[in-house]
């Protein structure tokens, strides 16, 4: 190939013989007119003493033919000598050129000195200090999903990104179509995107170890790798990543059936900066892989998420001993982990820095293990326990007493927890608890029994009790006395709560409520809304009354009169009429931004003027299922409230 570009004219261009069998055949030339001398020695270039006269049509055919007949090797040599911008422009000529350009490795490109021969001295001086920096920064981010995820698009990204800051982040969510991404497309990324730092591959059944090894070989700056549903990728790919990508900080593996212990151990040994690991539903991953990974990254690994794995108590014991830098730990659906595993983990020295712990659907967590975890995590700030069948009131209270730094406690579908455990935890959580959430806990019963004298929790600011059918007026009365400084409350789905219970609670709140969610509390009436507006109207910012079918225009009038700071109001499926909206529109001090009237069947076209006035400050208006409002009214509102996003 070098002979083509080094040809001077003094040697034979075709040493194997002439191009044509009879180079002097007159039919090979155009007519040159009279008095033309032509010297044509055999097997040499023509030396002509008079100009050729070409027809335009013949010239175009000649040009076209000359491009088509160039072999890939010639084009390759030409392309690799071009500067980055010219290479990017050349990719637009044809698919053939695009695929050729995408297969040029970074190290195969000619040096700046060679490419600079095609530029002027001024251009060289201007770009000398910029080109190399631009191509390695990795400013660009690209995402391909579904049918858009193809090899051709990846090739175009690989070629085009080089002259536009370099590709830094690539996310591909493939599909099962026959034209999806294969190894060929990702090889283009491996060859042309050395600045790649973040790579996410989802549902890539056709991508295997070969291409990931090439990415590891060409993208040494890789920091984050996310593999989901990639069954053809195995430990071999992780070996390559571990060997060539020392900057790896985050690794996420989900539903990759061929990745096992050996690959995780290699990553742990060779990636000293690994800070976050998430492994889900990988059947070959066991205790050896988790133990090797955690023990090798003991002083840097800060976030660990393990879900649906065949690990046992051994893995939790290793975490409890070697997880010295872990701050966030999430354990989900680990059926082989028993009470002993949680107890050993809690009694180990490795959870001193743990700040956030989430345990979901782990049958091994019991009162004993939970108390041990609380004692072994002195800096725990957030704890979430979901779908636990064996934690009772005693375990919850013991944990709350042990975890003195706890700021947020969430309990969801923990059916052995009763009101005694709930109020006991509330009273023993110390002075730092700020948020408490109780969701779908069927063990809560509104029993009107005497509770021991409990000290109030002055630090609690946010309280959520959602979809707990047994939570009623008696519990709400006690709650108000225990939590006088609440600002955010969510009582959605508490059908057993009536006016008397909530009125008592409102009287106990001293700080002033800012956000209140009462959606689904079907037994509340306008009396509660009026009392809330009167006592907390000057602090109320968000109010959700969706599905409170007994609330009518009276409550809306009270809101309009006494809630000047209210910015978000939801009265969907309430008994609101045009009169209530008119009162809302007359309240000039209101500054509503979001208003939801979905399912308010009593609102008609007569509210057009009121909605137009109220909507001057709105950014969101929900009119779905308002059957009495015509399409023409909605169209007029869309024209008037052009800044507002209207759902109809």
């Amino acid at each position: 190939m070098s002979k083509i570009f080094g040809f001077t004219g003094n040697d034979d261009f075709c040493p194997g013989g002439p191009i044509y069998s009879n180079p002097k055949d007159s039919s090979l030339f155009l007519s040159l007119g009279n008095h033309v001398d032509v010297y044509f020695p055999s097997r040499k270039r023509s030396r002509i003493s008079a100009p050729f006269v070409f027809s335009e049509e013949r010239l175009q055919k000649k040009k076209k033919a000359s491009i088509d007949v160039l072999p890939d090797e010639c084009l390759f040599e030409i392309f690799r000598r071009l500067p980055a911008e010219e290479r990017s422009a050349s990719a637009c000529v044809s698919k053939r050129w695009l695929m050729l350009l995408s297969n040029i490795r970074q190290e195969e490109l000619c040096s700046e000195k060679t490419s600079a021969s095609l530029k002027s001295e001024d251009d060289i001086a201007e770009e000398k200090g910029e080109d190399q920096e631009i191509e390695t920064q990795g400013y660009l981010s690209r995402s391909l999903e579904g049918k858009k995820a193809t090899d051709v698009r990846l090739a175009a990204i690989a070629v085009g990104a080089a002259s536009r800051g370099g590709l830094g982040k690539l996310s591909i969510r493939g599909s099962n179509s026959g034209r999806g991404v294969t190894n060929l497309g990702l090889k283009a990324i491996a060859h042309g995107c050395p600045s790649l730092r973040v790579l996410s591959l989802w549902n890539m059944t056709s991508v295997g170890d070969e291409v990931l090894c090439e990415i590891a070989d060409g993208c040494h700056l890789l920091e984050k790798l996310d593999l989901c549903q990639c069954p053809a990728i195995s430990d071999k790919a992780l070996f390559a990543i571990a060997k060539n990508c020392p900057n790896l900080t985050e690794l996420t593996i989900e539903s990759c059936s061929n990745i096992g212990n050996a690959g995780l151990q290699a990553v742990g040994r060779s990636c000293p900066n690994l800070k976050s690991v998430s492994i889900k539903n990988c059947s070959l991953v066991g205790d050896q892989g988790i133990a090797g990974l955690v023990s090798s990254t003991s002083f840097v690994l800060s976030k660990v998420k393990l879900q649906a794995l065949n690990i046992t108590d051994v893995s939790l014991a290793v975490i409890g001993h070697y997880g010295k830098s872990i701050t966030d730990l999430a354990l989900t659906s680990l059926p082989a982990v028993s009470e002993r595993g949680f107890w050993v983990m809690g009694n180990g020295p490795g959870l001193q820095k743990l700040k956030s712990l989430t345990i979901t659907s782990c049958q091994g967590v019991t009162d004993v293990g939970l108390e041990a975890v609380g004692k072994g995590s002195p800096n725990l700030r957030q704890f979430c326990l979901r779908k636990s069948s064996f934690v009772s009131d005693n375990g919850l209270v013991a944990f709350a007493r042990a975890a003195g730094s706890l700021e947020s406690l969430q309990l969801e579908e923990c059916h052995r927890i009763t009101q005694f455990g709930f109020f006991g935890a509330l009273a023993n959580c110390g002075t730092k608890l700020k948020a408490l959430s109780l969701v779908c806990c069927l063990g809560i019963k509104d029993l009107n029994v005497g509770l021991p004298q409990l000290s109030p929790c002055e630090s609690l600011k946010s309280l959520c009790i959602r979809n707990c059918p047994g939570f009623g007026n008696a519990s709400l009365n006690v709650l108000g006395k225990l939590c006088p400084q609440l600002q955010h409350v969510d009582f959605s789905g508490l059908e057993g709560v009536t006016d008397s219970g909530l009125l008592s609670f409102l009287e106990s709140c001293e700080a002033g409520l800012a956000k209140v969610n009462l959606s689904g509390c079907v037994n509340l009436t306008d009396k509660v809304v009026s009392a809330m507006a009167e006592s907390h109207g000057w602090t109320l910012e968000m109010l959700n009354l969706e599905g409170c079918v007994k609330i009518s225009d009276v409550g809306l009038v009270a809101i309009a009169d006494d809630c000047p700071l209210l910015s978000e109001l939801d009265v969907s499926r309430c008994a609101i009429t045009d009169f209530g909206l008119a009162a809302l529109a007359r309240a000039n001090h209101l500054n509503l931004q979001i208003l939801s009237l979905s399912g308010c069947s009593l609102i008609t076209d007569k509210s057009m003027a009121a909605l137009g006035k109220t909507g001057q400050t709105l950014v969101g208006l929900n009119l779905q299922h308002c059957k009495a409002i015509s399409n023409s009214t909605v169209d007029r509102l869309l024209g008037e409230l052009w800044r507002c996003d209207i759902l109809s």
Side-chain angles (χ1 to χ4, degrees):
M1 186 59 63
S2 60
K3 291 183 178 181
I4 295 177
F5 290 90
F7 182 72
T8 62
N10 297 324
D11 51 358
D12 289 340
F13 186 85
C14 300
I19 298 177
Y20 302 103
S21 58
N22 184 9
K24 295 185 179 182
D25 188 352
S26 60
S27 65
L28 299 176
F29 298 94
L30 296 174
S31 175
L32 302 178
N34 299 326
H35 309 292
V36 177
D37 297 325
V38 179
Y39 173 69
F40 196 107
S42 60
R43 301 173 61 191
K44 294 290 184 178
R45 288 195 304 179
S46 300
R47 302 184 184 274
I48 304 170
S49 58
F52 281 93
V53 181
F54 290 101
S55 66
E56 184 177 355
E57 181 180 358
R58 182 68 177 268
L59 185 61
Q60 293 297 331
K61 290 182 178 179
K62 187 175 181 67
K63 287 182 177 180
K64 183 176 180 181
S66 64
I67 294 176
D68 289 341
V69 299
L70 280 178
D72 289 350
E73 292 80 4
C74 292
L75 289 173
F76 180 87
E77 291 296 329
I78 295 173
F79 290 152
R80 76 186 190 92
R81 285 168 166 78
L82 295 177
E85 292 185 1
E86 281 74 4
R87 288 198 305 272
S88 179
S90 300
C92 301
V93 173
S94 66
K95 183 178 178 180
R96 176 195 176 198
W97 284 28
L98 171 63
M99 301 311 293
L100 280 173
L101 284 161
S102 66
N103 280 282
I104 301 178
R105 294 178 178 273
Q106 195 72 16
E107 60 269 17
E108 292 173 337
L109 297 175
C110 287
S111 63
E112 292 184 6
K113 182 177 180 181
T114 304
S115 298
S117 63
L118 303 176
K119 297 185 177 183
S120 65
E121 294 183 359
D122 292 338
D123 291 337
I124 296 172
E126 181 179 351
E127 299 178 5
K128 183 176 180 181
E130 299 179 2
D131 285 345
Q132 187 174 2
E133 179 182 357
I134 289 177
E135 292 190 2
T136 58
Q137 287 298 320
Y139 294 119
L140 300 183
S141 176
R142 294 291 182 266
S143 178
L144 299 178
E145 296 187 14
K147 294 181 179 179
K148 294 183 179 180
T150 62
D151 289 339
V152 174
R153 288 182 182 270
L154 282 179
I157 289 173
V159 176
S163 61
R164 293 173 175 82
L167 185 65
K169 181 178 180 180
L170 177 61
S171 175
I172 307 175
R173 295 180 179 241
S175 64
N176 294 323
S177 62
R179 298 179 59 187
V181 172
T182 65
N183 289 347
L184 182 63
L186 283 172
K187 282 182 180 180
I189 298 296
H191 296 164
C193 302
S195 59
L196 188 66
R197 288 179 169 84
V198 181
L199 177 61
S200 178
L201 304 178
W202 283 41
N203 193 19
M204 308 290 287
T205 56
S206 301
V207 173
D209 292 334
E210 178 186 356
V211 69
L212 212 59
C213 291
E214 292 211 29
I215 287 177
D217 188 49
C219 307
H220 300 293
L221 301 178
L222 194 66
E223 297 176 359
K224 300 179 182 180
L225 179 62
D226 182 2
L227 303 175
C228 178
Q229 296 181 11
C230 299
I233 295 178
S234 68
D235 289 335
K236 181 180 178 181
L238 289 189
F239 290 153
I241 293 291
K243 179 181 178 181
N244 297 293
C245 303
N247 295 329
L248 192 69
T249 60
E250 294 186 20
L251 177 63
T252 301
I253 303 174
E254 179 179 345
S255 301
C256 295
S257 55
N258 283 316
I259 292 180
N261 296 327
L264 294 180
Q265 291 173 337
V267 171
R269 290 191 302 267
S270 304
C271 298
N273 299 313
L274 191 66
K275 297 180 180 179
S276 176
V277 171
S278 176
I279 306 172
K280 176 182 177 181
N281 192 29
C282 296
S283 57
L284 296 183
V285 173
D287 290 328
Q288 292 182 349
I290 300 300
L293 181 65
V294 173
S295 60
S296 300
T297 57
S298 177
F299 296 101
V300 293
L301 190 62
S302 60
K303 295 182 179 181
V304 176
K305 182 179 179 180
L306 306 177
Q307 182 174 352
L309 300 177
N310 297 321
I311 60 175
T312 67
D313 298 338
V314 174
S315 293
L316 265 64
V318 172
I319 291 174
H321 187 79
Y322 290 100
K324 298 179 181 179
S325 298
I326 295 179
T327 59
D328 296 81
L329 178 61
L331 305 173
T332 304
S333 300
L334 304 177
V337 175
S338 67
E339 178 185 77
R340 182 180 180 183
F342 285 97
W343 184 87
V344 173
M345 182 178 71
N347 282 280
L351 301 182
Q352 298 298 309
K353 294 184 178 181
L354 188 65
K355 295 182 179 179
S356 176
L357 175 61
T358 300
I359 302 175
T360 304
S361 300
C362 291
Q363 302 303 316
V365 59
T366 62
D367 293 345
V368 175
L370 191 60
E371 182 179 7
V373 170
K375 291 180 179 179
S377 310
N379 293 302
L380 189 64
R381 303 285 191 270
Q382 300 177 351
F383 176 62
C384 179
L385 181 64
R386 298 191 184 101
K387 298 182 179 181
S388 174
S389 303
F390 298 102
V391 172
S392 67
D393 293 339
N394 293 332
L396 181 61
V397 173
F399 171 81
R401 189 180 293 114
S405 299
L406 198 65
E407 297 178 358
S408 175
L409 175 61
Q410 301 178 47
L411 303 173
E412 183 174 340
E413 296 187 40
C414 298
H415 302 310
R416 292 192 64 187
I417 302 296
T418 70
Q419 74 272 24
F420 294 100
F422 173 73
F423 288 119
L426 188 59
N428 287 277
C429 270
T431 60
K432 296 183 179 181
L433 187 66
K434 298 178 181 178
L436 177 61
S437 177
L438 191 68
V439 180
C440 297
C441 293
L442 304 182
I444 300 291
K445 304 295 181 182
D446 197 38
L447 303 177
N448 194 5
V449 296
L451 291 172
Q453 187 67 28
L454 301 174
S455 57
C457 184
E458 300 281 351
S459 61
L460 194 68
K461 306 296 181 184
S462 177
L463 176 64
C464 173
I465 302 176
R466 190 167 67 246
N467 296 328
C468 297
F471 203 96
N473 292 338
S475 301
L476 205 58
N477 186 28
V478 176
L479 193 60
K481 297 176 181 179
L482 281 177
C483 311
Q485 300 300 318
L486 285 173
Q487 297 177 1
H488 303 162
V489 295
D490 182 353
F491 296 149
S492 56
L494 301 186
E495 298 181 355
V497 172
T498 64
D499 288 350
S500 60
L502 197 59
L503 287 174
S504 174
F505 172 81
L506 291 175
E507 292 176 359
S508 302
C509 295
E510 302 173 357
L513 296 174
K515 295 182 179 180
V516 178
N517 186 352
L518 301 175
S519 61
C521 297
V522 294
N523 292 313
L524 297 181
T525 68
D526 293 324
K527 187 177 181 180
V528 165
V529 178
S530 299
M532 187 188 312
E534 181 180 354
S535 57
H536 300 277
W538 289 98
T539 58
L540 197 61
E541 299 174 1
M542 189 278 288
L543 178 60
N544 189 340
L545 301 173
E546 179 186 3
C548 298
V549 294
K550 296 182 179 181
I551 292 177
S552 65
D553 294 337
V554 177
L556 206 57
V557 171
I559 292 171
D561 292 339
D562 298 322
C563 301
L565 298 181
L566 192 66
S567 62
E568 184 175 344
L569 176 63
D570 190 342
V571 288
S572 301
R573 297 186 291 117
C574 294
I576 303 298
T577 69
D578 297 330
F579 178 80
L581 281 184
L584 204 64
R586 289 194 298 269
N588 295 325
H589 56 274
L590 274 182
N591 190 30
L592 277 179
Q593 295 182 355
I594 298 177
L595 175 61
S596 180
L597 304 171
S598 176
C600 294
S601 57
L602 300 178
I603 297 177
T604 68
D605 291 341
K606 296 179 180 179
S607 294
M608 172 67 190
L611 288 172
K613 184 177 180 181
T614 306
Q616 298 303 316
T617 60
L618 290 179
V619 296
L621 175 61
N622 188 352
L623 297 176
Q624 290 180 314
H625 310 296
C626 294
K627 299 180 180 179
I629 298 180
S630 63
N631 293 333
S632 60
T633 299
V634 174
D635 293 338
R636 289 165 58 191
L637 285 173
L638 287 171
E640 291 185 12
L641 309 179
W642 55 273
R643 298 176 182 173
C644 179
D645 185 11
I646 300 179
L647 297 177
S648 61

